[in-house]
Amino acid sequence: MSRVDDELARVVREGEAADPATPGWAVVDARRGEASAENKPRRRFALLIALLVMGAGILTLVFTNFKEAAIYSKGVDQLIRQRNQLVRRNVNVNGTLVKGTLTRRAEPCEYRFDLQKNGARVAVRYAQCIVPDTFRDLPYMDVDVTATGKLTPQGYFEANHIMAKCPSKYEMKARAEHGSVIPASAIAPGSRN
């Protein structure tokens, strides 16, 4: 160990005696070190300002576009009561299909029907050729429908998507047992006992 200590002491002496201008030695400018120390807070402040501006821009985009993207969910009665506030806004409207109002036009494809809830009624237009299998005008059963779209200034609801609640086989079986007339073709296969 004394040999390692002796060698280390020799290297330190040589380092102290060496000229800093010789190759392998770096000259440190104290003024440059001070200048970069002064610039660090400015850089951090500039970065903070840039991040705040970007954050404010993102929040502005979110809040200005959020109103258009929001989808309200209302019953037919609520839609009619709030007609003025909901015109041309995205709405999910819930109601029951009014029996006998479902019609289909072939060219251009369009379904028209009325929905009702709590005594209020709205005409619906659905400009599509295909509807869900569960969307039928059944004389022996109420069909609950949810339509997504916009209420027009003319007073009808322009739907771009519809869903009809499919009655379960248990509901249909219970209605049959309580005397409601349900044709055998309406009962799901395998649900009869």
Side-chain angles (χ1 to χ4, degrees), residues 70-75 79 86-94 146-151 157-158 160-161:
I71 296 178
Y72 300 91
S73 186
K74 304 286 182 184
L79 180 74
L86 297 175
V87 169
R88 294 190 178 120
R89 293 218 179 147
N90 292 325
V91 179
N92 283 340
V93 64
N94 306 308
T146 300
T148 303
K150 295 180 180 185
L151 185 64
F157 190 80
E158 187 72 41
N160 53 34
H161 182 72

Short mmCIF file of all heavy atoms in Angstrom, two decimals, residues 70-75 79 86-94 146-151 157-158 160-161:
data_model
loop_
_atom_site.label_atom_id
_atom_site.label_comp_id
_atom_site.label_asym_id
_atom_site.label_seq_id
_atom_site.Cartn_x
_atom_site.Cartn_y
_atom_site.Cartn_z
N ALA A 70 -71.09 18.15 -26.56
CA ALA A 70 -71.88 17.59 -25.47
C ALA A 70 -73.16 16.95 -26.02
O ALA A 70 -73.79 17.48 -26.92
CB ALA A 70 -72.22 18.67 -24.46
N ILE A 71 -73.52 15.81 -25.47
CA ILE A 71 -74.75 15.14 -25.85
C ILE A 71 -75.64 15.10 -24.62
O ILE A 71 -75.29 14.51 -23.60
CB ILE A 71 -74.49 13.72 -26.37
CG1 ILE A 71 -73.66 13.77 -27.65
CG2 ILE A 71 -75.80 13.00 -26.64
CD1 ILE A 71 -73.31 12.42 -28.22
N TYR A 72 -76.79 15.74 -24.72
CA TYR A 72 -77.74 15.77 -23.63
C TYR A 72 -78.65 14.56 -23.75
O TYR A 72 -78.97 14.11 -24.84
CB TYR A 72 -78.58 17.04 -23.70
CG TYR A 72 -77.76 18.30 -23.61
CD1 TYR A 72 -77.29 18.93 -24.75
CD2 TYR A 72 -77.44 18.85 -22.38
CE1 TYR A 72 -76.52 20.08 -24.67
CE2 TYR A 72 -76.67 20.00 -22.29
CZ TYR A 72 -76.22 20.60 -23.44
OH TYR A 72 -75.46 21.73 -23.36
N SER A 73 -79.09 14.02 -22.62
CA SER A 73 -80.02 12.90 -22.61
C SER A 73 -81.32 13.37 -21.97
O SER A 73 -81.34 13.75 -20.80
CB SER A 73 -79.42 11.73 -21.84
OG SER A 73 -80.25 10.60 -21.96
N LYS A 74 -82.39 13.35 -22.76
CA LYS A 74 -83.68 13.88 -22.31
C LYS A 74 -84.79 12.93 -22.69
O LYS A 74 -84.71 12.21 -23.68
CB LYS A 74 -83.97 15.25 -22.96
CG LYS A 74 -82.90 16.30 -22.75
CD LYS A 74 -82.92 16.82 -21.35
CE LYS A 74 -81.87 17.92 -21.18
NZ LYS A 74 -81.79 18.40 -19.84
N GLY A 75 -85.86 12.99 -21.95
CA GLY A 75 -87.09 12.33 -22.34
C GLY A 75 -87.81 13.24 -23.32
O GLY A 75 -87.50 14.43 -23.44
N LEU A 79 -87.53 17.32 -23.70
CA LEU A 79 -87.11 17.90 -24.97
C LEU A 79 -88.09 18.98 -25.43
O LEU A 79 -87.68 20.05 -25.85
CB LEU A 79 -86.99 16.80 -26.03
CG LEU A 79 -86.56 17.24 -27.43
CD1 LEU A 79 -85.08 17.57 -27.43
CD2 LEU A 79 -86.86 16.15 -28.44
N LEU A 86 -82.46 23.55 -26.72
CA LEU A 86 -81.88 22.33 -27.29
C LEU A 86 -81.92 22.28 -28.81
O LEU A 86 -81.44 21.31 -29.40
CB LEU A 86 -82.59 21.10 -26.72
CG LEU A 86 -82.43 20.91 -25.21
CD1 LEU A 86 -83.26 19.75 -24.72
CD2 LEU A 86 -80.97 20.72 -24.85
N VAL A 87 -82.47 23.29 -29.47
CA VAL A 87 -82.50 23.30 -30.93
C VAL A 87 -81.07 23.26 -31.46
O VAL A 87 -80.20 23.99 -30.99
CB VAL A 87 -83.25 24.54 -31.45
CG1 VAL A 87 -83.06 24.71 -32.96
CG2 VAL A 87 -84.73 24.43 -31.14
N ARG A 88 -80.83 22.37 -32.41
CA ARG A 88 -79.53 22.17 -33.08
C ARG A 88 -78.42 21.68 -32.15
O ARG A 88 -77.25 21.81 -32.46
CB ARG A 88 -79.08 23.45 -33.78
CG ARG A 88 -79.97 23.83 -34.94
CD ARG A 88 -79.34 24.95 -35.74
NE ARG A 88 -80.16 25.29 -36.87
CZ ARG A 88 -80.69 26.49 -37.07
NH1 ARG A 88 -80.48 27.47 -36.22
NH2 ARG A 88 -81.42 26.71 -38.13
N ARG A 89 -78.76 21.12 -31.03
CA ARG A 89 -77.76 20.52 -30.13
C ARG A 89 -77.90 19.01 -30.18
O ARG A 89 -78.98 18.48 -30.40
CB ARG A 89 -77.97 21.00 -28.70
CG ARG A 89 -77.69 22.46 -28.56
CD ARG A 89 -77.01 22.75 -27.27
NE ARG A 89 -76.72 24.16 -27.17
CZ ARG A 89 -76.73 24.82 -26.05
NH1 ARG A 89 -77.01 24.20 -24.91
NH2 ARG A 89 -76.43 26.09 -26.02
N ASN A 90 -76.80 18.31 -29.94
CA ASN A 90 -76.83 16.85 -29.90
C ASN A 90 -77.61 16.39 -28.68
O ASN A 90 -77.32 16.80 -27.56
CB ASN A 90 -75.41 16.28 -29.84
CG ASN A 90 -74.65 16.52 -31.12
OD1 ASN A 90 -75.23 16.49 -32.20
ND2 ASN A 90 -73.36 16.76 -31.02
N VAL A 91 -78.61 15.52 -28.93
CA VAL A 91 -79.48 15.06 -27.85
C VAL A 91 -79.76 13.57 -28.03
O VAL A 91 -79.97 13.11 -29.15
CB VAL A 91 -80.82 15.83 -27.85
CG1 VAL A 91 -81.74 15.34 -26.75
CG2 VAL A 91 -80.60 17.32 -27.72
N ASN A 92 -79.79 12.84 -26.93
CA ASN A 92 -80.36 11.49 -26.88
C ASN A 92 -81.77 11.66 -26.34
O ASN A 92 -81.93 12.11 -25.21
CB ASN A 92 -79.59 10.57 -25.94
CG ASN A 92 -78.31 10.06 -26.52
OD1 ASN A 92 -78.12 10.06 -27.73
ND2 ASN A 92 -77.41 9.61 -25.66
N VAL A 93 -82.78 11.34 -27.13
CA VAL A 93 -84.16 11.48 -26.66
C VAL A 93 -84.75 10.09 -26.45
O VAL A 93 -84.58 9.20 -27.27
CB VAL A 93 -85.01 12.33 -27.65
CG1 VAL A 93 -85.15 11.67 -28.98
CG2 VAL A 93 -86.36 12.65 -27.06
N ASN A 94 -85.40 9.92 -25.30
CA ASN A 94 -85.99 8.64 -24.92
C ASN A 94 -87.51 8.75 -24.94
O ASN A 94 -88.05 9.73 -24.45
CB ASN A 94 -85.55 8.23 -23.50
CG ASN A 94 -84.05 8.23 -23.35
OD1 ASN A 94 -83.37 7.62 -24.14
ND2 ASN A 94 -83.55 8.94 -22.36
N THR A 146 -84.58 4.97 -28.08
CA THR A 146 -83.65 6.07 -27.83
C THR A 146 -83.12 6.51 -29.19
O THR A 146 -82.55 5.70 -29.92
CB THR A 146 -82.49 5.63 -26.93
OG1 THR A 146 -83.01 5.20 -25.68
CG2 THR A 146 -81.51 6.78 -26.70
N ALA A 147 -83.34 7.78 -29.50
CA ALA A 147 -82.86 8.34 -30.77
C ALA A 147 -81.81 9.40 -30.47
O ALA A 147 -81.99 10.22 -29.58
CB ALA A 147 -84.02 8.94 -31.55
N THR A 148 -80.72 9.37 -31.23
CA THR A 148 -79.66 10.37 -31.08
C THR A 148 -79.68 11.26 -32.31
O THR A 148 -79.73 10.77 -33.44
CB THR A 148 -78.29 9.68 -30.98
OG1 THR A 148 -78.32 8.77 -29.89
CG2 THR A 148 -77.18 10.69 -30.76
N GLY A 149 -79.66 12.57 -32.08
CA GLY A 149 -79.68 13.50 -33.20
C GLY A 149 -79.89 14.93 -32.71
O GLY A 149 -79.48 15.27 -31.60
N LYS A 150 -80.58 15.73 -33.53
CA LYS A 150 -80.79 17.14 -33.21
C LYS A 150 -82.23 17.53 -33.46
O LYS A 150 -82.84 17.10 -34.44
CB LYS A 150 -79.87 18.02 -34.06
CG LYS A 150 -78.41 17.80 -33.77
CD LYS A 150 -77.53 18.68 -34.62
CE LYS A 150 -76.06 18.41 -34.29
NZ LYS A 150 -75.16 19.28 -34.98
N LEU A 151 -82.75 18.38 -32.60
CA LEU A 151 -84.07 18.96 -32.78
C LEU A 151 -83.93 20.11 -33.77
O LEU A 151 -83.07 20.97 -33.63
CB LEU A 151 -84.60 19.47 -31.44
CG LEU A 151 -86.03 20.00 -31.43
CD1 LEU A 151 -87.01 18.88 -31.76
CD2 LEU A 151 -86.35 20.59 -30.07
N PHE A 157 -87.52 15.97 -34.89
CA PHE A 157 -86.23 15.50 -34.42
C PHE A 157 -85.54 14.76 -35.55
O PHE A 157 -86.06 13.78 -36.07
CB PHE A 157 -86.42 14.59 -33.20
CG PHE A 157 -85.15 14.24 -32.50
CD1 PHE A 157 -84.56 15.12 -31.62
CD2 PHE A 157 -84.53 13.02 -32.73
CE1 PHE A 157 -83.37 14.81 -30.97
CE2 PHE A 157 -83.35 12.69 -32.08
CZ PHE A 157 -82.78 13.59 -31.20
N GLU A 158 -84.37 15.21 -35.96
CA GLU A 158 -83.58 14.59 -37.03
C GLU A 158 -82.60 13.62 -36.38
O GLU A 158 -81.58 14.02 -35.82
CB GLU A 158 -82.84 15.66 -37.81
CG GLU A 158 -82.13 15.15 -39.04
CD GLU A 158 -83.10 14.78 -40.16
OE1 GLU A 158 -84.07 15.51 -40.38
OE2 GLU A 158 -82.85 13.73 -40.79
N ASN A 160 -79.85 10.52 -36.18
CA ASN A 160 -78.78 9.89 -36.95
C ASN A 160 -78.44 8.50 -36.41
O ASN A 160 -77.63 7.78 -36.99
CB ASN A 160 -77.52 10.77 -37.02
CG ASN A 160 -77.04 11.20 -35.66
OD1 ASN A 160 -77.16 10.46 -34.69
ND2 ASN A 160 -76.49 12.39 -35.58
N HIS A 161 -79.08 8.13 -35.30
CA HIS A 161 -78.89 6.80 -34.70
C HIS A 161 -80.11 6.48 -33.85
O HIS A 161 -80.59 7.34 -33.11
CB HIS A 161 -77.63 6.77 -33.84
CG HIS A 161 -77.34 5.44 -33.23
ND1 HIS A 161 -76.89 4.37 -33.96
CD2 HIS A 161 -77.46 4.99 -31.97
CE1 HIS A 161 -76.74 3.33 -33.16
NE2 HIS A 161 -77.07 3.69 -31.95
#
